[in-house]
Amino acid sequence: MRSISFVTLVLACGSGLAAQAQAQEPADNSLTLSGFGTVGMVDKTGAPRWGLIRSTAQKGAAADLSATIDSRLGAQIDWAHGNDWEAAIQGVLLHRARGAVSAEAIEQAYVGYRPWANTRLRLGRVSPDLFLYSESRNVGYAFTWARPPTDFYAFAPVVAVDGLDVEQRWDAGGASWRLRATTGTIRTSATDGGRSYSPVNVDDILAVGLSRESNGLLLKLSYMQSRVNMAQGPEYRALLQGVGALQQSPVPGVREAIAPLNDRLWAGGATRYLALAAQYDSGPWTFVAEGSRLDVPSSTLDAYRGYVSAAWRKDSVTYYALASRSRPREAALATPDVASPLAPVAGPAAAQQAQMLAGYATYAANQFRFDQRTVGVGLRWDFASNAALKFQFERFHVRQNGAAGWRNHDGQAAKGNLVSLLVDFVWGQ
């Protein structure tokens, strides 16, 4: 409710300012208000009691049939002064992770300046250039599918960086080039699969995106390095202390058994992200592909991700197919046997308690693993100039200990179907 009231106030004030500006500002000033939204339903079969998470910044579905996954509403105020100065603020209402603060609903809020025609500097809250749909992942009307592929996009709650953004454009060799660099910090919230929600602080960010576009072909290279710190609740801290105590055990075999588990209970550290993307539009046909590597040492977040999509448009209807995959670099951890070496020394009761602790810790370490594949088909009908109806059918296969993209998962493998029906719209564009 705090997010709703805050954004409502901001956008209401912006609407009034826009109306006033249109009546009073001189010709070289412009202030406009626009918006976007999605109203949709998703029905899931298979994976009992699991709820799909579109992004780890969201809470996820609470039932097999849910309207909270894709439904959202956003508005943006843009201001420009001649060709030099610009500013924007964008607010988005969606079903965010429990405990998210109001400020997370503001996804853009910056002032920009162009010292030269092809150079732009922005200061404030901006989108890092990490994906093909970095600035439009919440604007359903901007892409063909029901949602950006969750196998590729869901792991990152990163939508905006508070800091500085520098962009340079140029033409060379018959192609248009763009280089954008971003530095700053991120304050957001994330879910680890629906059972707990934690503040996430990301510092020392350097994000760089380089793209080339020519004859309908867009190629993009993205890189980001940062330092992540996830807030640790009392239960997680107690778990870390218990595992640390076991690792200090003088009993032969216990320390060796628990060492891999202690290394994987990740709560922060250095990260690196590298991605390649391509999009080709030949008229009726459009092909899109993205691939990435997330490097997080000593964490089950470390993974490869990718997807490919093909779409064919005839009149106002677009038919498409989509396949995606997320694969961790390391195998899931198995629960170590600490009871056997402990029992002769500490007794059966203490050994059993230590074994239960090892089991809980193993489950916690594997909770961040995204290990699944998805294939789907769908259609998009642009029934109006500013609105589209979408239908999408997907078949998913989640491997054991790979369900970080789901709420209330039990860590087991699962297969199932998703059927999505939604309407995307924009206004004031």
Side-chain angles (χ1 to χ4, degrees), residues 9 27 48-49 71 95 133 158 195 214 251 320 415 422:
L9 177 61
R49 296 179 298 279
S71 298
H95 200 219
Y133 300 96
V158 177
R195 298 196 179 195
S214 177
V251 178
Y320 62 86
K415 296 180 181 180
L422 49 86

Side-chain angles (χ1 to χ4, degrees), residues 40-45 50-52 61-69 418-421:
M41 297 290 293
V42 182
D43 185 43
K44 175 185 65 67
T45 56
W50 291 18
L52 178 65
D64 287 345
L65 181 64
S66 176
T68 64
I69 298 171
L418 294 171
V419 178
S420 305
L421 182 65

Side-chain angles (χ1 to χ4, degrees), residues 54-135:
R54 172 167 165 159
S55 163
T56 52
Q58 295 186 223
K59 189 174 182 179
D64 287 345
L65 181 64
S66 176
T68 64
I69 298 171
D70 297 308
S71 298
R72 60 205 58 224
L73 181 65
Q76 180 166 325
I77 303 166
D78 290 280
W79 170 81
H81 179 75
N83 296 322
D84 300 332
W85 290 93
E86 63 182 75
I89 181 169
Q90 181 188 97
V92 182
L93 300 179
L94 51 80
H95 200 219
R96 298 185 185 274
R98 182 177 57 198
V101 298
S102 298
E104 292 185 35
I106 301 299
E107 299 196 346
Q108 292 189 48
Y110 64 83
V111 176
Y113 175 66
R114 295 181 183 271
W116 303 282
N118 293 324
T119 305
R120 181 180 68 176
L121 291 81
R122 297 189 299 179
L123 181 64
R125 180 162 294 183
V126 296
S127 298
D129 202 15
L130 300 181
F131 314 106
L132 274 180
Y133 300 96
S134 290
E135 296 191 356

Side-chain angles (χ1 to χ4, degrees), residues 279-309:
Q279 178 175 289
Y280 181 64
D281 190 342
S282 67
W285 285 96
T286 301
F287 302 93
V288 182
E290 291 190 76
S292 71
R293 158 76 190 281
L294 178 64
D295 182 11
V296 187
S298 301
S299 171
T300 52
L301 280 168
D302 201 310
Y304 295 101
R305 293 175 172 84
Y307 73 88
V308 293
S309 175

Side-chain angles (χ1 to χ4, degrees), residues 329-403:
R329 292 186 65 233
E330 303 292 341
L333 287 174
T335 303
D337 178 15
V338 296
S340 297
L342 275 176
V345 178
Q352 184 61 32
Q353 289 180 346
Q355 188 62 46
M356 291 177 61
L357 174 66
Y360 290 139
T362 302
Y363 178 81
N366 288 330
Q367 279 234 93
F368 296 106
R369 298 182 80 251
F370 286 81
D371 191 0
Q372 68 179 54
R373 66 174 182 265
T374 307
V375 294
V377 294
L379 63 85
R380 167 179 171 149
W381 173 35
D382 288 84
F383 64 89
S385 60
N386 64 340
L389 173 69
K390 299 177 183 177
F391 172 82
Q392 183 166 300
F393 173 83
E394 298 167 274
R395 177 69 177 172
F396 63 84
H397 178 194
V398 182
R399 298 178 182 272
Q400 188 170 5
N401 294 312

